Amino acid sequence: MNIHSNLLDSVPELVAIRRDLHAHPELGLEEVRTSYLVARALESYGYKVTRGIAKTSVVATLSNGTSRKSIGIRADMDALPILEETGLDYASRTPGLMHACGHDGHTTMLLGAARAIAERRAFDGTVHLIFQPAEENFGGARIMVEEGLFEKFPCDAIFALHNEPRAPFGQFLLRDGPVCAAVDEAHIIVNGSGGHGAEPEATADPIVCGASIVMALQTIVSRNIHACAPAVVTVGSFHAGTVSNIIPSRAEMAVGIRSFDPKVRDELERRIRMIATAQAESYGMSATVDYQRFYDATVNHTAETDFVRDLAQRFAGPEQVSELQRPFLGSEDFAFMLKERPGCYFFLGGSRGDGSDRPLHHPGYNFNDDLLPIGAAFWTELAEAFLKG
């Protein structure tokens, strides 16, 4: 891999930054300390820094030469509401919060690239480095777009990556088209009539009705959606009642929905609403459905994906670049940036290969610091190649 000497020299500093961020996690739209440290570093590298879009974001801009061409590279900054169980000496100092997805690493890699890009000045155009808040829960990318990100910082293309601890170390994984799923959520409330558990005939039992809804929902993917169209409907929460001899008056459930095709997404919503209300009516009850659409599907653009693939093959070697055979059912709010500008979202393998790796969102997960110079060097190469003079 072509890792510049100045980046190799800065590895100890990058590790220190990453571990400091790891020790001080902040939730979405609360990344005050993180954004301050990021902005201070970027200013010291010579970037024009803008703060405040989506509350805690940082956007760094650097121009060189005469070209009007521009590129955007995004890193996410937020942590998760998880109690860390790594036992590391730099583990989270805030109980109940941790960087369990590697956003501390993503931020640090882009900071490393920022420094290298500024020092080398081997590009012709404008670089916008976007440090985004609230990827995990609040759709920080959508907020930034809505607040005028691309009007204020025009980008001809936009790029982002995510570490993948289950993939071989240093392997690039990408695909054209859909790469992450759209995610929606339905909250269903069944309204019955409670009473004594010994006299069920005098009640309208919402638990029985709710159980029927749960089972009927399982038929949507198997009987209403084409077998070649990926979709998931998961009842992740069901709450009703308190003790065995009381029939409650209501049951509540939360349903997670994942899909890629907009028409499939519409059909999933239609069928969930129909099943919940019709099942409830068949039991002499009523049901309400609060259906919320969250992140859209993340869809890569062909030209930009080809660009990343070709560059990765030159950077790491063809054997280190793999095509994703199918998209991930996880979601990613970078989708909202890709709807506005062409670009590519890809994965970088970080497995240590010794069985110690934990999956993303696990309380024992820890970003692999050996990825820092690789990610920083690749972002540097990508910016320079895209803005080649």
Side-chain angles (χ1 to χ4, degrees), residues 9-187:
D9 292 340
S10 69
V11 167
E13 179 186 353
L14 294 179
V15 171
I17 291 171
R18 205 284 294 183
R19 295 185 177 185
D20 177 73
L21 294 176
H22 188 90
H24 300 89
E26 296 172 301
L27 293 178
L29 303 180
E30 298 176 6
E31 305 95 335
V32 176
R33 181 183 185 275
T34 303
S35 62
Y36 170 76
L37 293 178
V38 167
R40 185 175 64 180
L42 292 165
E43 288 171 342
S44 73
Y45 303 155
Y47 286 79
K48 178 182 179 181
V49 174
T50 302
R51 302 176 63 183
I53 300 177
K55 192 175 181 180
T56 50
S57 79
V58 179
V59 181
T61 299
L62 185 67
S63 296
N64 192 59
T66 60
S67 173
R68 300 184 65 181
K69 193 172 183 181
S70 60
I71 185 176
I73 304 175
R74 173 273 220 171
D76 34 21
M77 301 188 295
D78 55 325
L80 285 158
I82 295 175
L83 181 65
E84 183 162 351
E85 298 177 0
T86 63
L88 297 165
D89 57 4
Y90 54 88
S92 172
R93 297 179 186 175
T94 307
L97 301 185
M98 77 169 288
H99 272 292
C101 204
H103 295 183
D104 49 347
H106 301 168
T107 295
T108 305
M109 286 191 290
L110 193 54
L111 281 176
R115 181 173 180 175
I117 291 168
E119 290 176 349
R120 290 164 57 87
R121 301 258 175 178
F123 68 97
D124 186 12
T126 299
V127 176
H128 298 299
L129 305 181
I130 303 164
F131 294 83
Q132 179 208 306
E135 186 278 326
E136 295 288 357
N137 302 107
F138 301 107
R142 174 167 51 190
I143 299 172
M144 291 191 76
V145 169
E146 291 173 347
E147 293 186 4
L149 172 66
F150 295 123
E151 287 74 30
K152 297 172 183 175
F153 307 98
C155 296
D156 293 311
I158 186 86
F159 300 90
L161 68 75
H162 204 293
N163 79 97
E164 176 44 71
R166 297 170 297 180
F169 180 82
Q171 185 174 66
F172 290 78
L173 303 101
L174 69 167
R175 76 188 306 269
D176 186 19
V179 66
C180 292
V183 59
D184 303 322
E185 192 169 288
H187 290 266

Side-chain angles (χ1 to χ4, degrees), residues 184-325:
D184 303 322
E185 192 169 288
H187 290 266
I188 301 173
I189 297 176
V190 179
N191 299 294
S193 178
H196 201 293
E199 298 177 339
E201 74 281 0
T203 72
D205 190 341
I207 294 179
V208 173
C209 178
S212 180
I213 291 173
V214 170
M215 295 307 297
L217 290 175
Q218 308 311 306
T219 68
I220 296 175
V221 173
S222 65
R223 290 297 176 267
N224 302 130
I225 304 301
H226 193 283
C228 293
V232 173
V233 175
T234 299
V235 180
S237 173
F238 190 121
H239 294 280
T242 53
V243 293
S244 64
N245 64 344
I246 299 175
I247 294 174
S249 60
R250 61 190 269 161
E252 301 180 19
M253 62 194 79
V255 186
I257 306 104
R258 310 248 172 185
S259 62
F260 294 95
D261 187 291
K263 292 182 180 178
V264 170
R265 194 180 194 184
D266 290 341
E267 179 65 5
L268 289 168
E269 178 176 356
R270 188 184 74 83
R271 289 296 296 161
I272 287 171
R273 289 184 180 277
M274 180 181 294
I275 284 174
T277 55
Q279 287 285 328
E281 289 175 4
S282 74
Y283 283 86
M285 301 178 224
S286 65
T288 60
V289 181
D290 178 15
Y291 201 101
Q292 299 181 36
R293 297 195 176 198
F294 293 127
Y295 295 175
D296 291 342
T298 306
V299 182
N300 282 336
H301 298 250
T302 301
E304 287 68 29
T305 303
D306 290 343
F307 171 73
V308 172
R309 183 187 299 106
D310 292 343
L311 182 66
Q313 289 176 346
R314 297 195 301 272
F315 175 82
E319 70 283 354
Q320 283 290 80
V321 182
S322 298
E323 294 291 314
L324 287 171
Q325 296 304 305

